[in-house]
Amino acid sequence: MDHFVEVYRRKAEAYQRMIAAEDVEGNLLPALQAVADFRGRRVVDLGSGTGRLPLLLATEGARVVGVDLHRAMLEESRRQRRRTGEQWSLVQADMQAVPLAGGCADVVTAGWAIGHFTAWYKEEWEVRVSQILRQMQRVAAPAGILIVLETLGTGRRQPAPPAPRLRRYYEYLESAWGFRRQEIRTDYQFATVEDAVAATEFFFGPALSEAIRANGWARVPEWTGVWSRPAQLP
């Protein structure tokens, strides 16, 4: 089983604890607001996980539907919904075949999810990615906005795709699909260096733990790319 699939199926609570420490400067919401108005808008969030984007956007008055394949992630999202008192809907489904009506969303997001397909489907990742992007277009209203978020490196001092396969995918989003990119800092902040290691090693592995200890990072540098475009290009 793929490492990340194992995390999403069985370690949702640990995943949520880790991402709760992310984006210490609060840069993500302004980056999203720069490309879409979320106030009262209908948002479909693909690969929604434990509720990272619903938690953020519900506070802006967005009406969010989170779609995820993994039951454990959806159960953790429900716990976060109860904890905060915010409201969003949840649907268990594959983002390659979203069971929602066409044109039902003003904004369609996919956060830190599509990039996995470049590893899971090495020989046909473009086909898989295009299928998901077409689903995003279908679900979006004609005047809607599509937003894709992906990593530009954890434990890096400058933003860059952390693998060649991701570089090719990011270039594909921009050249073949017309997405435009923002690059933002989304650092993790932990109380201590050892807390940083304990919270992240299960996901990122020992190489990041070594870098955290070597650099004395309680604040772990991270970069995120925010790609956006209108659902229908002129």
Side-chain angles (χ1 to χ4, degrees):
M1 183 185 299
D2 176 83
H3 165 70
F4 293 110
V5 173
E6 174 78 8
V7 169
Y8 300 149
R9 286 184 178 178
R10 298 178 182 171
K11 299 179 180 179
E13 186 175 351
Y15 180 80
Q16 174 57 32
R17 284 197 302 271
M18 179 182 73
I19 65 170
E22 191 178 10
D23 191 26
V24 63
E25 293 182 346
N27 292 326
L28 182 55
L29 182 57
L32 294 171
Q33 291 171 325
V35 296
D37 181 3
F38 293 95
R39 294 170 297 180
R41 299 304 173 91
R42 304 164 298 167
V43 179
V44 171
D45 180 37
L46 304 184
S48 193
T50 61
R52 189 183 324 191
L53 291 182
L55 279 166
L56 197 63
L57 299 178
T59 63
E60 296 299 298
R63 295 172 287 158
V64 184
V65 178
V67 179
D68 201 277
L69 182 62
H70 300 293
R71 182 178 298 275
M73 301 297 270
L74 294 172
E75 289 174 352
E76 182 60 34
S77 186
R78 290 188 185 96
R79 283 192 285 272
Q80 296 305 313
R81 191 173 60 184
R82 290 194 298 270
R83 179 185 65 82
T84 61
E86 300 291 350
Q87 296 296 319
W88 60 84
S89 302
L90 293 169
V91 175
Q92 185 173 11
D94 190 327
M95 68 175 70
Q96 297 174 94
V98 182
L100 297 174
C104 70
D106 301 301
V107 183
V108 184
T109 58
W112 305 275
I114 301 175
H116 287 306
F117 285 75
T118 65
W120 296 339
Y121 301 100
K122 292 183 176 65
E123 302 303 320
E124 57 177 47
W125 68 265
E126 288 187 18
V127 173
R128 299 285 181 158
V129 168
S130 292
Q131 185 172 339
I132 297 166
L133 296 174
R134 283 194 293 270
Q135 285 289 295
M136 294 177 73
Q137 283 186 309
R138 181 188 66 79
V139 171
I145 301 293
L146 311 183
I147 301 175
V148 175
L149 301 100
E150 300 286 2
T151 181
L152 284 172
T154 304
R156 291 174 177 261
R157 299 186 186 276
Q158 298 295 327
R165 59 181 176 79
L166 291 176
R167 180 178 295 106
R168 291 190 293 270
Y169 158 51
Y170 299 164
E171 290 170 352
Y172 182 68
L173 285 178
E174 294 163 14
S175 63
W177 281 83
F179 281 86
R180 293 188 175 184
R181 172 169 38 173
Q182 298 179 68
E183 298 176 349
I184 59 171
R185 286 290 292 264
T186 51
D187 294 359
Y188 293 88
Q189 181 67 66
F190 301 97
T192 67
V193 170
E194 286 308 312
D195 285 345
V197 170
T200 62
E201 189 167 40
F202 83 100
F203 191 79
F204 291 106
L208 179 62
S209 297
E210 291 172 10
I212 289 171
R213 289 194 175 105
N215 290 281
W217 285 335
R219 175 167 170 162
V220 180
E222 183 181 65
W223 295 87
T224 294
V226 180
W227 284 262
S228 61
R229 53 157 280 184
Q232 303 297 326
L233 292 175

